[in-house]
Amino acid sequence: MKKLILSTAALALSAGMALSADTIRLGTEGAYAPWNFINDSGELDGFERDLGDELCTRAELTCEWVTTDWDSIIPNLVSGNYDAILAGMSINEERDAVIDFTQNYTPPDPSAYLGMDEGIDVTSGIIAAQSGTLQADYIAETGATLVEFATPEETIAAVRNGEADAVLADKSYLVPIEAEDSDLIFVGENVALGDGIGMGLRESDGALREKFDAAIQSMKDDGSLNELITKWEVSSTFE
């Protein structure tokens, strides 16, 4: 999933223990369907909205949601603007050196290329990706030319208007877009990136992480997590 470039100044900020607050604030992007998005009623919706609400119920926590731009999502956590991240964030070593993670709540989601010509060579073409993502990092290490955009919508627009040959993104994000636009097709092979998706928390909030870990495990144990994954079609289910 997504990879962030973090500023030293932002990471130096500290915050108090989340469990000392009456309400736990959950941070998300609100712009990455079906994981998290704003629906036609102007409300936060998606897999992670359903998941976060259920996790808070099981952990006996009062929670509220906060939306933020992707590029600032970890700095805002560290500075105390919210207490946990649910935003399709892959667990990786770089992030884990700065924040803490729960166990994963989905297995790794394959990434895929979407373009307008099945003859595209994704290893040498111009490939779009959202800035600060695992996909952007992957493209930069191949022979392709990377073009980065602030939002996932802009990466799709770049393909449609000819700025890019294809976009590389989470396949769960691209599937409904491909289904609705006959000009767009999947090209190349799927790419396996990341170690699964987890909640991000400040390293000082170990007690809160334990509560959410227990809640995630209980949803794995009773099958309700797989039911949510199937409902929203965000990834493969846990075996």
Side-chain angles (χ1 to χ4, degrees):
M1 282 287 174
K2 299 181 176 179
K3 175 189 171 189
L4 298 177
I5 300 173
L6 307 174
S7 70
T8 302
L11 299 178
L13 297 172
S14 61
M17 296 293 288
L19 287 181
S20 65
D22 294 332
T23 300
I24 301 301
R25 297 154 299 168
L26 306 177
T28 194
E29 185 180 17
Y32 207 67
W35 296 82
N36 54 82
F37 61 95
I38 304 301
N39 63 25
D40 292 339
S41 299
E43 299 176 346
L44 183 66
D45 205 343
F47 166 70
E48 284 165 323
R49 174 63 194 268
D50 283 354
L51 174 65
D53 288 349
E54 179 62 21
L55 292 176
C56 287
T57 297
R58 294 188 182 218
E60 300 181 343
L61 296 169
T62 300
C63 297
E64 65 180 23
W65 290 90
V66 178
T67 57
T68 187
D69 291 339
W70 175 254
D71 285 346
S72 60
I73 201 165
I74 285 184
N76 278 332
L77 170 69
V78 175
S79 63
N81 291 334
Y82 37 79
D83 306 301
I85 294 171
L86 283 89
M89 181 174 286
S90 287
I91 303 166
N92 66 14
E93 291 183 3
E94 180 182 355
R95 295 186 184 125
D96 200 28
V98 176
I99 62 174
D100 207 354
F101 281 99
T102 63
Q103 62 175 293
N104 63 2
Y105 54 77
T106 72
D109 181 34
S111 296
Y113 292 95
L114 191 67
M116 299 181 69
D117 183 349
E118 62 183 11
I120 293 167
D121 183 352
V122 297
T123 65
S124 62
I126 300 172
I127 309 299
Q130 186 178 9
S131 59
T133 63
L134 293 182
Q135 289 87 359
D137 189 52
Y138 175 82
I139 296 165
E141 295 177 354
T142 70
T145 299
L146 169 66
V147 287
E148 296 183 80
F149 297 88
T151 67
E153 292 86 355
E154 289 173 295
T155 65
I156 304 300
V159 175
R160 288 177 171 144
N161 65 29
E163 289 182 73
D165 298 317
V167 54
L168 181 64
D170 298 321
K171 192 167 187 177
S172 58
Y173 172 72
L174 296 176
V175 164
I177 295 172
E178 186 269 344
E180 294 174 359
D181 190 334
S182 59
D183 291 330
L184 294 173
I185 56 174
F186 286 109
V187 296
E189 301 292 331
N190 289 348
V191 181
L193 299 173
D195 298 317
I197 310 305
M199 295 179 67
L201 301 99
R202 291 182 291 271
E203 292 185 333
S204 59
D205 287 334
L208 182 61
R209 177 186 53 76
E210 291 176 2
K211 280 181 173 288
F212 280 127
D213 258 336
I216 292 168
Q217 187 61 52
S218 72
M219 292 187 70
K220 288 180 178 179
D221 292 343
D222 66 17
S224 58
L225 185 50
N226 276 347
E227 290 176 5
L228 272 186
I229 290 171
T230 299
K231 172 186 174 181
W232 288 103
E233 299 180 340
V234 293
S235 76
S236 60
T237 55
F238 289 100
E239 296 182 359

